Amino acid sequence: VQLQASGGGLVQTGGSLTISCAASERTFTSYSMGWFRQAPGKEREFVAVINWSGRTNYRDSVNGRFTISRDSAKKAVNLQMNSLKPEDTATYFCASGPWPLAPRNVRSWGKGTQVTVSS
């Protein structure tokens, strides 16, 4: 398994949650890594990406609330989610691939982790 996501759960509106994605050595050092999400009945959408140098990009609706970071010691990428809203409820998927991690260029997908924000 190249990408292993963890850390999802249930949180109230306004709360915080961190999800993590552990990668293989090769994946972590070769590709940008990031997160997509998919809510029921909706298409999968980009959330955030970080490259090897720490450059980041976010979808507009999470910018300022979510922070993506790299943990080189653990070969993992974390997504710190603050000020969560019910519309953030979705299954979150870790992904790796070349910058800027367009969906068509994703090389590996992790299994999803559920994030549910209650109102």
Side-chain angles (χ1 to χ4, degrees):
V1 177
Q2 291 187 325
L3 300 174
Q4 185 71 44
S6 62
L10 174 64
V11 65
Q12 291 185 334
T13 296
S16 298
L17 198 63
T18 298
I19 54 178
S20 298
C21 178
S24 66
E25 173 81 26
R26 181 177 181 275
T27 296
F28 187 79
T29 57
S30 299
Y31 296 115
S32 297
M33 291 180 61
W35 294 90
F36 289 76
R37 67 186 182 187
Q38 188 168 19
K42 296 187 177 181
E43 292 188 356
R44 191 172 296 189
E45 62 184 21
F46 166 81
V47 176
V49 61
I50 186 167
N51 76 351
W52 64 273
S53 68
R55 181 183 180 185
T56 60
N57 191 37
Y58 300 90
R59 73 177 296 107
D60 288 346
S61 63
V62 308
N63 202 13
R65 299 189 296 122
F66 290 12
T67 302
I68 190 169
S69 61
R70 290 167 63 92
D71 184 336
S72 296
K74 296 182 179 179
K75 304 293 183 291
V77 171
N78 301 316
L79 186 68
Q80 170 72 40
M81 303 180 288
N82 298 326
S83 302
L84 282 161
K85 304 175 181 180
E87 51 263 45
D88 294 318
T89 295
T91 299
Y92 284 68
F93 295 90
C94 181
S96 65
W99 178 271
L101 206 60
R104 65 182 181 278
N105 293 331
V106 169
R107 299 293 176 86
S108 297
W109 291 99
K111 291 184 178 179
T113 185
Q114 180 66 36
V115 172
T116 302
V117 185
S118 63
S119 57

